[in-house]
């Protein structure tokens, strides 16, 4: 294995590094860029240092990570267990998809970004059209009655994420081919209809469901099935497409992605694997953060900086969480938070909840910096996402995590495909971490 510079092909700037002049890439046989920081010959993974040396050839037998007892019972935090070809998160510059900063992709069509994650390159115009056509066809071929089970659930029961997991399993029960790419494409293509049915059936409005129109595109089909038209539909499409792309992938080690890949490693179906991923995402410590952030904003109730500061300080004094700030990897403001704040200034600048989120971005970091134990006092993607979803008409925060889950389906499917093709086609073995017996 050799070490070479990882240039920023997304900007077309010759040999400019994606991260900085101190970053290099490790070229594995699969040509995946494994990023390494040269500073002191170590790379920091969520606060865990890994010894690797730039400029050296590293064999499969050499140690790249040492486990101490302090790593046990830590949720595998920061412990390298594999590689990821679809995305990575830099502590300063945030999430990148196949080397592209997510901000460079945010205004593309969502189907083109899905193509990128699956094929590791952006499509040309002909490929883009063919890919959209394939998704439209697969969405139209949803088996009759595949989602009928949702009609038998009691409106308002459970959490919308429960319905999402049930719906994915129902689609798998209706049609599973066993071909990972085919099943992944079918699931991606049919998610808009599942989402629309969750919103309207759980909401007790089955009569409002419109017939699907897959030719519109993924996000547009969902908005169409909800019965939204005109300028309201245009704004919904704009925000949801943006949201969809920003949440599509986030490295390989987050709980939902890891859980989906772990289940898939046992050769479970794509549907079973993604339902497991959605169940992992449903937890309040993971995917429900955007719901919690809007509820936090609603509790504040004012965009006045002084009142916000008083509220935040009282929450900290009561040892309650400050939602929308901090991140497991990032040590700077999440670029996705900035992008969403900028989008809000375009689509809903006068919305009260948006103004509160925007004010929080300015007021909170200096307060959190007063606490030395807080390693990242900066906004994350959840700070404004809930406020924007509310502003475009989605007024029930408990549905917000379903948008997160819908977006993440494409990234997790792409990673499952990569793991099935790893090791010269032999695939990644079934996940089996070691647990040490303790009295």
């Amino acid at each position: 294995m050799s070490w070479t510079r990882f240039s920023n092909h997304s900007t077309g700037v010759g040999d400019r590094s994606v991260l900085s002049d101190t970053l290099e890439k490790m070229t594995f046989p699969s040509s995946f860029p494994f990023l390494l920081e040269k500073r002191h010959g170590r790379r920091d993974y969520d606060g865990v240092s890994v010894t690797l040396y730039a400029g050296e050839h590293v064999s499969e037998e050499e140690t790249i990570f040492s486990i101490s007892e302090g790593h046990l019972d830590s949720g595998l935090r920061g412990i390298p267990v594999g590689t990821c070809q679809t995305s990575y998160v830099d502590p300063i510059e945030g999430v990148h998809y196949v080397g592209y900063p997510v901000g460079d992709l945010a205004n593309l069509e969502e189907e083109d970004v899905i193509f990128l994650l699956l094929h590791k390159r952006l499509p040309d115009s002909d490929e883009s059209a063919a890919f959209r056509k394939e998704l439209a066809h697969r969405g139209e071929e949803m088996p009759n009655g595949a989602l009928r089970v949702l009609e038998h659930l009691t409106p308002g029961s459970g959490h919308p994420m429960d319905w999402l997991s049930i719906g994915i399993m129902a689609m798998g029960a209706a049609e599973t081919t066993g071909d990972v790419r085919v099943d992944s494409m079918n699931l991606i293509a049919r998610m808009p209809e599942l989402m629309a049915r969750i919103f309207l059936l759980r909401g007790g409005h089955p009569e409002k469901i419109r017939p699907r129109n897959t030719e519109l595109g993924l996000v547009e089909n969902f908005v169409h099935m909800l019965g939204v038209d005109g300028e309201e539909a245009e704004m919904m499409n704009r925000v949801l497409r943006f949201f969809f792309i920003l949440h599509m992938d986030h490295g390989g080690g987050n709980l939902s992605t890891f859980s989906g890949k772990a289940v898939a490693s046992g050769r479970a179906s794509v549907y079973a694997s993604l339902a497991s991923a959605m169940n992992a995402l449903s937890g309040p410590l993971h995917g429900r953060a955007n719901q919690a952030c809007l509820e936090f904003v609603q509790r504040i109730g004012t965009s006045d900086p002084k009142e916000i500061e008083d509220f935040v300080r009282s929450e900290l004094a009561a040892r309650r969480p400050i939602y929308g700030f901090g991140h497991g990897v990032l040590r700077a403001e999440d670029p996705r938070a900035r992008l969403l704040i900028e989008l809000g200034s375009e689509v809903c600048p006068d919305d009260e909840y948006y103004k509160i989120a925007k004010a929080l971005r300015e007021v909170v970091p200096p307060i959190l910096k007063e606490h030395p134990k807080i390693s990242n006092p900066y906004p994350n993607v959840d700070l404004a996402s809930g406020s924007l979803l509310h502003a475009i008409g989605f007024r029930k925060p408990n549905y917000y995590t379903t948008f997160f889950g819908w977006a993440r389906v494409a990234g997790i499917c792409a990673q499952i495909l990569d793991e099935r093709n790893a090791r010269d086609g032999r695939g990644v073995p079934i996940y089996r971490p070691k647990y040490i017996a303790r009295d």
Side-chain angles (χ1 to χ4, degrees):
M1 291 177 283
S2 60
W3 300 94
T4 56
R5 186 173 299 282
F6 188 178
S7 62
N8 188 350
H9 60 275
S10 64
T11 62
V13 181
D15 51 26
R16 174 190 168 194
S17 169
V18 169
L19 308 181
S20 71
D21 289 338
T22 64
L23 292 186
E24 305 279 332
K25 101 175 166 180
M26 182 178 187
T27 305
F28 284 83
S30 63
S31 77
F32 167 70
F34 179 81
L35 295 176
L36 171 70
E37 189 171 2
K38 285 179 66 178
R39 183 178 62 235
H40 307 307
R42 301 177 77 83
R43 167 76 179 179
D44 186 75
Y45 293 84
D46 295 355
V48 181
S49 294
V50 181
T51 303
L52 286 168
Y53 298 95
E56 293 186 1
H57 293 279
V58 183
S59 72
E60 293 184 359
E61 290 73 30
E62 289 186 59
T63 299
I64 65 168
F65 187 82
S66 298
I67 301 290
S68 68
E69 185 157 353
H71 294 122
L72 301 179
D73 299 326
S74 64
L76 293 175
R77 181 168 291 275
I79 299 176
V81 296
T83 58
C84 178
Q85 299 184 50
T86 57
S87 63
Y88 66 87
V89 184
D90 176 73
I92 303 300
E93 298 193 0
V95 65
H96 292 59
Y97 296 166
V98 197
Y100 291 91
V102 71
D104 289 2
L105 306 170
N107 289 303
L108 298 182
E109 297 292 331
E110 66 273 22
E111 292 87 355
D112 289 341
V113 182
I114 294 171
F115 184 101
L116 171 68
L117 295 179
L118 291 172
H119 298 277
K120 312 305 178 282
R121 60 181 178 82
L122 286 169
D124 60 30
S125 58
D126 290 339
E127 290 171 325
S128 177
F131 190 69
R132 289 172 64 91
K133 185 176 181 180
E134 179 183 357
L135 286 171
H137 173 74
R138 292 185 181 280
E140 195 61 46
E141 294 298 308
M142 170 96 76
N144 289 331
L147 295 175
R148 193 165 293 146
V149 64
L150 298 181
E151 299 173 9
H152 298 284
L153 298 178
T154 303
S157 64
H159 190 279
M161 287 298 291
D162 301 332
W163 288 58
L164 182 61
S165 178
I166 291 168
I168 290 173
M169 288 300 294
M171 288 194 290
E175 181 185 31
T176 297
T177 69
D179 182 304
V180 177
R181 186 195 182 274
V182 171
D183 288 338
S184 294
M185 288 291 288
N186 284 342
L187 178 57
I188 292 167
R190 295 165 185 174
M191 282 297 297
E193 180 163 350
L194 169 58
M195 286 287 293
R197 290 185 178 275
I198 289 171
F199 272 71
L200 294 178
L201 292 174
R202 187 179 181 277
H205 303 290
E207 75 285 352
K208 293 185 178 181
I209 299 175
R210 283 180 174 173
R212 58 179 171 258
N213 185 350
T214 61
E215 298 293 334
L216 294 174
L218 296 174
V219 167
E220 294 85 348
N221 184 33
F222 164 71
V223 173
H224 159 78
M225 290 191 70
L226 289 183
V228 181
D229 295 304
E231 292 184 3
E232 184 183 2
E234 290 180 11
M235 187 164 70
M236 244 182 220
N237 289 333
R238 172 85 170 105
V239 172
L240 289 179
R241 187 183 300 111
F242 207 88
F243 181 98
F244 194 89
I245 291 171
L246 294 187
H247 289 80
M248 205 175 284
D249 205 40
H250 201 257
N254 64 81
L255 179 62
S256 51
T257 301
F258 183 84
S259 298
K261 292 190 297 182
V263 173
S265 75
R267 295 304 184 265
S269 73
V270 166
Y271 297 94
S273 302
L274 267 294
S276 299
M278 295 304 106
N279 289 332
L281 189 67
S282 70
L285 296 184
H286 188 17
R288 290 198 198 179
N290 56 6
Q291 172 183 336
C293 278
L294 179 64
E295 293 166 346
F296 183 66
V297 164
Q298 290 173 327
R299 284 175 55 213
I300 294 172
T302 176
S303 57
D304 179 77
K306 181 62 171 66
E307 292 188 42
I308 289 176
E309 179 177 350
D310 292 344
F311 181 91
V312 169
R313 290 190 182 280
S314 67
E315 292 293 287
L316 289 170
R319 305 182 66 85
R320 287 191 289 265
I322 306 301
Y323 293 98
F325 294 84
H327 192 276
V329 178
L330 286 165
R331 293 299 174 262
E333 181 179 62
D334 190 334
R336 298 173 301 171
R338 172 182 56 79
L339 291 165
L340 286 169
I341 291 289
E342 291 172 356
L343 178 64
S345 69
E346 172 191 332
V347 301
C348 58
D350 298 321
D351 180 82
E352 187 58 30
Y353 293 149
Y354 165 73
K355 289 194 293 185
I356 295 172
K358 186 178 179 181
L360 281 165
R361 182 193 185 203
E362 303 300 325
V363 172
V364 171
I367 299 172
L368 297 183
K369 287 178 182 178
E370 298 171 6
H371 299 262
K373 291 185 178 181
I374 296 177
S375 58
N376 177 10
Y378 302 105
N380 60 45
V381 69
D382 299 311
L383 174 64
S385 61
S387 298
L388 264 64
L389 291 173
H390 187 277
I392 61 173
F394 297 104
R395 300 300 166 85
K396 296 182 178 180
N398 59 341
Y399 283 89
Y400 292 176
T401 310
T402 63
F403 287 120
F404 190 171
W406 175 19
R408 196 54 63 84
V409 163
I412 297 173
C413 283
Q415 292 198 36
I416 290 173
L417 273 164
D418 290 341
E419 293 211 347
R420 289 287 175 91
N421 292 324
R423 302 196 308 159
D424 298 320
R426 290 175 292 156
V428 171
I430 186 171
Y431 285 22
R432 187 66 173 89
K434 182 179 180 63
Y435 280 73
I436 295 173
R438 175 173 284 171
D439 294 335

